[in-house]
Amino acid sequence: MTPAEAAARAERVAPALREHLPPTPFVRYDAFSEELGAEVLVKCEHQQRTGSFKARGALAKILTLTEAERAAGVITASTGNHGLGVGNALATLGGHGIVYLPENAAPGKVAALRRLGLELRAEGNDTGVLEIKARAYAAEHGLAYVPPYNDPDIIAGQGTVGVEIVEQLAGASLDAVVVAVGGGGLISGVAAVLKKHLPGIRVYGAQPAVDDAMAASVRAGEIVQIDAGHTLSDGTAGSVEPGSITFDLCRELVDDWVLVEEDAIRDALRMVIDTEHQLIEGSAALAFAAASKRRTELTGKRVAVVSCGGNMSSSTLVAALA
């Protein structure tokens, strides 16, 4: 899949998604802009239905399935947000879903998955392994698998974030965009669309320093496994699936990788709560922290930060702010 194909797919699917998912705000964060000495515009996917951008890719993929395929059962693997997106899509379009999720998934996300009527299977804590298990189960039983990122339709759905940013800019310029990266579906779609319309834009991929699977893979020139540590950015946690199409897209589209320490993620979380009174999750705070880390080169620029989700449990929040 080329960047041009990813952008074209995102633009094609955007009208269908808009019937079910209204555009999220794209607004200036004044305090953070002042801190960076830049104009920071935040794409508020933490205000998306289900609390995450993942609602987009899941809906885009499930729209390609027949009613019979949805009824037979849709399988996925998720740390929580993608599963919520699948559950929302099935609640909207009809169908049954099974989610493989890590045993350490955030309790609030697990409870929300159950409320959507999904069947949950908790097995281990490595999302890469969970994806392999979920794919194998789907193949064995002839069921549809909805991957969290490694799929052209998923990338296209996430790319509608970029479609909306272009529309909401209304012809204004944008110098850079900062996006949290796990498997790479969001940054692949967003960067493909933005670089099509704003070819001079600089794309920053943010990863936790303790769990930088995609950045490590790009450095190595091939998908590698890492010894990951625990991170507040649970939405980006886990290894990259072997053969993932997002790997080549990230290699081509991401201009700079920003590895962020856990203290900086917590500081960014606190900053957004204190200045904007918005609850974001660790993976969204990761993007703000990455922008802060690159403040010297972003000074005087117009910068977009994708605030990718807001699903954080009270216990995780208390621990993060302690």
Side-chain angles (χ1 to χ4, degrees):
M1 187 182 194
T2 67
E5 290 168 342
R9 276 178 174 264
E11 291 171 341
R12 284 198 302 270
V13 78
L17 262 61
R18 193 161 297 171
E19 293 181 18
H20 306 287
L21 300 173
T24 55
F26 186 50
V27 296
R28 177 188 167 103
Y29 273 20
D30 291 337
F32 193 51
S33 294
E34 182 177 340
E35 178 184 330
L36 260 63
E39 183 176 8
V40 181
L41 302 171
V42 178
K43 186 58 172 163
C44 300
E45 287 297 290
H46 61 275
Q47 296 180 22
Q48 178 60 265
R49 187 172 300 171
T50 77
S52 165
F53 76 94
K54 290 283 192 175
R56 297 174 183 269
L59 181 60
K61 182 63 177 180
I62 290 174
L63 278 168
T64 69
L65 304 180
T66 66
E67 182 178 347
E69 286 174 323
R70 297 195 308 269
V74 172
I75 314 299
T76 194
S78 172
T79 59
N81 283 339
H82 175 62
L84 291 171
V86 169
N88 177 71
L90 292 173
T92 301
L93 303 173
H96 170 68
I98 298 173
V99 180
Y100 283 75
L101 78 167
E103 294 171 355
N104 63 357
K109 293 178 183 178
V110 173
L113 290 168
R114 289 201 173 101
R115 285 194 297 272
L116 286 167
L118 296 165
E119 181 181 338
L120 306 183
R121 299 185 180 182
E123 299 188 25
N125 289 318
D126 188 315
T127 55
V129 174
L130 288 172
E131 289 162 26
I132 293 170
K133 288 184 176 181
R135 279 188 185 275
Y137 183 89
E140 181 182 351
H141 295 85
L143 302 176
Y145 177 64
V146 180
Y149 56 86
N150 185 17
D151 181 272
D153 295 309
I154 297 289
I155 293 169
Q158 320 306 26
T160 62
V161 172
V163 174
E164 288 180 16
I165 288 174
V166 170
E167 293 171 349
Q168 290 165 322
L169 282 168
S173 64
L174 190 63
D175 299 303
V177 62
V178 186
V179 186
V181 180
L186 176 62
I187 200 168
S188 293
V190 170
V193 171
L194 292 185
K195 288 203 168 187
K196 173 182 176 180
H197 294 276
L198 303 163
I201 195 169
R202 187 165 179 81
V203 176
Y204 293 85
Q207 290 211 284
V210 298
D211 194 346
D212 64 338
M214 182 62 82
S217 296
V218 170
R219 289 194 304 270
E222 61 181 354
I223 295 175
V224 296
Q225 302 299 308
I226 64 167
D227 185 14
H230 177 73
T231 177
L232 180 61
S233 179
D234 65 296
T236 64
S239 56
V240 180
E241 184 178 28
S244 177
I245 59 175
T246 56
F247 171 65
D248 284 333
L249 288 167
C250 283
R251 285 207 297 181
E252 185 166 353
L253 292 167
V254 179
D255 298 301
D256 190 12
W257 292 93
V258 188
L259 305 187
V260 182
E261 302 296 334
E262 292 302 299
D263 284 348
I265 299 174
R266 284 191 287 271
D267 288 345
L269 173 66
R270 185 178 293 107
M271 179 275 298
V272 172
I273 293 173
D274 287 345
T275 62
E276 298 294 334
H277 314 296
Q278 297 279 315
L279 179 61
I280 61 173
E281 63 184 63
S283 54
L286 170 65
F288 285 96
S292 289
K293 192 167 183 177
R294 288 290 188 269
R295 71 179 65 215
T296 300
E297 58 200 73
L298 295 178
T299 298
K301 304 291 181 63
R302 174 176 281 174
V303 182
V305 172
V306 178
S307 180
C308 57
N311 292 322
M312 177 176 283
S313 68
S314 59
S315 58
T316 301
L317 179 61
V318 168
L321 299 181

